[in-house]
Amino acid sequence: MTVTFDSVTLKHAKVTPQPKPRVNESELVSGKTKLTVSSNTKKSWQVSCITETAGEYTALFSKIGVVGSLVVNGTTYTKCAIKSWKEKEINPNVKEITMQLVQDTT
């Protein structure tokens, strides 16, 4: 699987789509439930990858706060940003990074 975010290649990437349907639920005084449903779905992905050098880590870390394109196997999702970041040190130079990326759909 080939994955890049804002032109940074993510090594050993695993991408899990995490769509979130838009449904607003309101309880009415009568006890009934009123749903407001949108056909727009929040698009987000959990992305795990490995950085093998300090340079790779720095290049990816610098993308926090940046709006860029997520490309997964040739499919481009524009206007994406890193929403969360977790890292696990495998050894002093190798880290496993798990991020959530979300897409601006406005």
Side-chain angles (χ1 to χ4, degrees):
M1 174 177 290
T2 304
V3 180
T4 63
F5 177 61
D6 198 41
S7 301
V8 173
T9 299
L10 308 181
K11 290 185 175 179
H12 311 288
K14 179 182 176 192
V15 179
T16 306
Q18 296 183 320
K20 182 178 178 185
R22 298 293 188 181
V23 178
N24 188 24
E25 181 179 341
S26 300
E27 187 174 326
L28 303 177
V29 174
S30 66
K32 294 183 178 185
T33 301
K34 168 74 175 153
L35 297 179
T36 306
V37 180
S38 172
S39 61
N40 291 323
T41 302
K42 178 180 179 180
K43 294 182 180 177
S44 67
W45 302 264
Q46 180 174 307
V47 179
S48 298
C49 64
I50 301 290
T51 59
E52 297 173 334
T53 67
E56 288 176 0
Y57 176 85
T58 301
L60 185 55
F61 189 82
S62 72
K63 299 305 176 182
I64 295 175
V66 170
V67 175
S69 292
L70 172 66
V71 182
V72 180
N73 285 334
T75 301
T76 302
Y77 304 94
T78 59
K79 300 192 316 187
C80 293
I82 298 170
K83 182 176 179 179
S84 67
W85 176 283
K86 273 190 340 185
E87 56 186 73
K88 177 181 173 184
E89 187 173 291
I90 308 287
N91 69 44
N93 291 324
V94 178
K95 295 183 184 190
E96 178 183 19
I97 310 297
T98 303
M99 307 169 280
Q100 181 181 14
L101 283 91
V102 294
Q103 184 178 36
D104 179 347
T105 56
T106 59

